[in-house]
Amino acid sequence: MTRQPVPHTPLSDGEWHRMHPLTPLFRGGLVLVVVAGLVISNLRDRLIALFLPVVAPDVPTEEAPGDPVDFVLRHNLVLLALTAVLVVVMVLIGLFYVSWRFHTFRITGDHVEERHGVLFRSHRRAPLDRVQGVNLTRPMFARLCGMAKLEVVGAGSDANVKLEYLSTANAEAVRADILRLASGLRLAKSEAKAAAAGEPAHTLASTAAATVSAALDGLVWGPEAAVAEPASVVSIPVGRLVASHLLSRSTLILLVLLGFIVWGASVGTPWLLVSFIPALIGFGTYWVRRITRALRYSIAPTPDGVRITFGLFTTITEILPPGRVHAVQITQPLLWRPAGWWRITINRLSGHRAGSDSRAEEEATRVLPVGTRADVERVLRLLLPGLPEDEWPLVFAHGILGADDDAYTTTPRRARLLHLLSWRRNGFLLTPDALFLRRGLLHRRLAIFPLARTQSIGVAQGPIARAFRVASLHVHTVAGRVSGHLTGIDRDAALAAFADVEAAAVAAASTDRSHRWAGTTGDVAGAAV
């Protein structure tokens, strides 16, 4: 039988609740706006002549053959046409209402459930002990109405449960409840205590004036004032963010393309310069989208995990609970090296649909778009809180920069032809808590795999590697952008690592309790998101 939680908010009492009343409009009703735009576009000449004759006096007003408006006016069918439009609007409003009535969710002691649909019913359920994170997304127009979308990230392909839409205050409260329940913490506040304290009941919507005012403030200044936003440990200047995108592989491709076009125009085909304009517009749109999505970035610790916020127009706030990071990678492209900038990506169970666009995957894995060494160290301490203090020099001093007394096991000299430039940097290091994989000379990369969440490890050897007596290590974890593949390792060292990693991973997993970060009992009065 499903356990019923002690409710912390009225929306997490184990009963079915409905979404925000404007949910059907934002989920499918915006199609009406597109249809209205098409109608207005087709009737623009008539509308200009009717309402703005001074601005465009030369707009023709005579009847056009087949014009439906002229047909209605000519046959005196205005009343019938308005009645038909009214009927269509009322039918749509009725469909929206029925859709809203059948779109419900509930939070129990074991699951988060969502069901919708009238003719074709859909019922999704996410076990709380498999929750990988809870994301809160506020698109610009929904934010103006004081609404947000809550997405419970599950452990599996297309396993996410989306609650769209809730009021922003309710979304924050529901997210806090889900995270507390997922951590194993039973909510200790009762309804009687809340009533005795005189706390006001939660509602689905406040007054229109207050909602619009708070939404406008949030659009300009960030999350609503009512939401407790922890201080970010990293601040990314806008100039650094813009420069990091300009100093990228995409810019090099654009410059090479421009060079070929200029060369082709100079030898007798000037029309090639015109063909460069669409490419320039496309790259410009790509840069602007990437930059705006990374603006207002913040990352901070909370009792329920690492809180990451980003986005200028559409704001996304996600909570990454402890124990959900399966791999961490620090990278430094060659063009970033003079500035000393770095990037951090992770492997996590994102729950996105198989074959979904790479942009959603990138947003779920990139936790630091660009930062200095100090920024990287602060973020790593949030993502890897269990890493002992004496192992931190293995990250930068040995892992990234490469100290003289290198502690990593690297490619042997006999196999340097397989890694002609990077054989000294190509290596691994095993500690009781993590496995470090270091690769790349021009494009530096250091991958860290917590042993408690390592699935398995493999050793492979092809004919060429066999001739050089080297082998490849394969660290198996959840799929993501962090690769666990390392080639060119001494065969004996790889076989020893195979056995050592297996034993260390079993020992680390047996003592790991990070997925139950809040315990199983106690009062939550002191826990705040």
Side-chain angles (χ1 to χ4, degrees):
M1 180 180 296
T2 300
R3 299 191 306 270
Q4 301 300 323
V6 178
H8 181 259
T9 65
L11 297 179
S12 59
D13 56 2
E15 302 296 331
W16 290 100
H17 298 275
R18 294 187 178 89
M19 305 294 177
H20 194 283
L22 295 180
T23 292
L25 179 64
F26 284 88
R27 292 194 67 191
L30 291 179
V31 176
L32 297 178
V33 178
V34 177
V35 173
L38 293 175
V39 172
I40 294 174
S41 175
N42 292 328
L43 300 177
R44 64 182 182 275
D45 292 341
R46 181 180 298 277
L47 294 175
I48 291 175
L50 182 62
F51 295 104
L52 299 172
V54 179
V55 177
D58 297 332
V59 174
T61 58
E62 63 271 8
E63 297 181 3
D67 192 322
V69 177
D70 291 332
F71 178 83
V72 170
L73 295 176
R74 186 168 58 250
H75 293 82
N76 196 22
L77 300 175
V78 176
L79 182 59
L80 181 61
L82 293 178
T83 302
V85 172
L86 181 61
V87 170
V88 171
V89 172
M90 295 301 295
V91 169
L92 291 176
I93 293 176
L95 292 176
F96 283 175
Y97 176 76
V98 172
S99 174
W100 173 73
R101 291 277 300 180
F102 280 82
H103 192 183
T104 56
F105 74 97
R106 72 173 178 178
I107 303 172
T108 70
D110 301 296
H111 301 91
V112 178
E113 300 179 68
E114 181 257 353
R115 61 186 184 185
H116 65 273
V118 181
L119 298 179
F120 301 95
R121 300 285 288 165
S122 174
H123 190 165
R124 299 181 68 87
R125 174 181 295 174
L128 287 172
D129 59 350
R130 296 293 185 267
V131 171
Q132 303 299 310
V134 184
N135 303 340
L136 191 148
T137 304
R138 297 188 299 155
M140 184 175 63
F141 292 107
R143 182 164 50 182
L144 291 174
C145 297
M147 299 164 56
K149 176 174 65 176
L150 201 67
E151 184 174 10
V152 182
V153 181
S157 177
D158 194 24
N160 295 0
V161 174
K162 298 179 181 180
L163 308 181
E164 50 180 346
Y165 288 84
L166 301 170
S167 67
T168 304
N170 283 338
E172 286 282 356
V174 169
R175 178 173 63 177
D177 287 348
I178 292 174
L179 288 170
R180 291 186 182 99
L181 290 170
S183 72
L185 182 63
R186 296 275 67 88
L187 302 175
K189 288 187 177 180
S190 64
E191 290 180 332
K193 183 178 179 180
E199 297 179 1
H202 288 72
T203 59
L204 289 177
S206 59
T207 61
T211 298
V212 174
S213 175
L216 290 176
D217 288 341
L219 180 63
V220 176
W221 301 108
E224 289 79 355
V227 177
E229 182 75 8
S232 176
V233 301
V234 171
S235 177
I236 304 179
V238 178
R240 182 199 301 171
L241 189 62
V242 174
S244 66
H245 285 84
L246 294 178
L247 298 175
S248 63
R249 188 185 309 170
S250 301
T251 304
L252 292 179
I253 295 175
L254 181 64
L255 293 177
V256 171
L257 180 62
L258 177 61
F260 276 109
I261 291 176
V262 171
W263 173 79
S266 63
V267 298
T269 53
W271 57 268
L272 286 176
L273 291 175
V274 179
S275 65
F276 180 71
I277 295 177
L280 184 62
I281 295 175
F283 273 100
T285 303
Y286 170 78
W287 281 326
V288 170
R289 184 180 63 214
R290 291 285 298 272
I291 292 172
T292 55
R293 296 187 73 86
L295 287 174
R296 294 169 56 186
Y297 166 87
S298 68
I299 180 170
T302 72
D304 295 311
V306 181
R307 178 175 180 139
I308 306 173
T309 303
F310 56 91
L312 178 61
F313 302 113
T314 297
T315 302
I316 300 176
T317 302
E318 59 181 21
I319 296 289
L320 184 60
R324 268 57 173 181
V325 177
H326 295 258
V328 181
Q329 181 169 268
I330 311 164
T331 60
Q332 185 185 56
L334 180 62
L335 297 178
W336 288 12
R337 191 173 301 179
W341 296 338
W342 311 81
R343 176 188 298 130
I344 297 181
T345 55
I346 63 173
N347 278 4
R348 56 175 293 192
L349 288 171
S350 61
H352 290 294
R353 185 187 300 271
S356 60
D357 60 350
S358 59
R359 186 176 66 182
E361 179 185 355
E362 183 178 2
E363 291 174 356
T365 58
R366 182 168 297 180
V367 296
L368 181 63
V370 57
T372 62
R373 173 174 175 175
D375 296 336
V376 170
E377 291 181 351
R378 285 193 287 267
V379 173
L380 285 180
R381 289 183 183 275
L382 298 182
L383 300 176
L384 303 172
L387 198 65
E389 192 65 30
D390 58 350
E391 294 184 10
W392 282 104
L394 302 175
V395 176
F396 263 95
H398 294 270
I400 293 295
L401 303 178
D404 295 335
D405 54 339
D406 194 4
Y408 282 67
T409 300
T410 59
T411 300
R413 289 179 176 270
R414 64 177 180 272
R416 67 173 58 181
L417 289 177
L418 301 179
H419 298 274
L420 192 59
L421 298 178
S422 61
W423 67 276
R424 286 184 180 273
R425 292 193 51 83
N426 190 70
F428 75 94
L429 176 65
L430 177 64
T431 70
D433 305 283
L435 176 63
F436 299 78
L437 300 185
R438 186 180 68 187
R439 300 184 297 272
L441 177 64
L442 301 180
H443 191 95
R444 296 175 175 176
R445 292 186 295 271
L446 174 66
I448 306 174
F449 297 87
L451 293 177
R453 283 168 291 283
T454 299
Q455 304 299 314
S456 64
I457 186 170
V459 177
Q461 187 182 50
I464 298 179
R466 190 177 300 115
F468 287 94
R469 301 199 314 277
V470 294
S472 301
L473 282 176
H474 301 266
V475 183
H476 302 141
T477 181
V478 299
R481 293 178 174 264
V482 181
S483 173
H485 183 64
L486 183 68
T487 61
I489 300 300
D490 180 79
R491 186 198 62 175
D492 296 335
L495 292 176
F498 179 82
D500 295 341
V501 170
E502 178 188 9
V506 171
S510 64
T511 59
D512 180 55
R513 294 295 181 271
S514 58
H515 60 291
R516 287 289 184 250
W517 62 93
T520 57
T521 60
D523 194 357
V524 298
V529 177

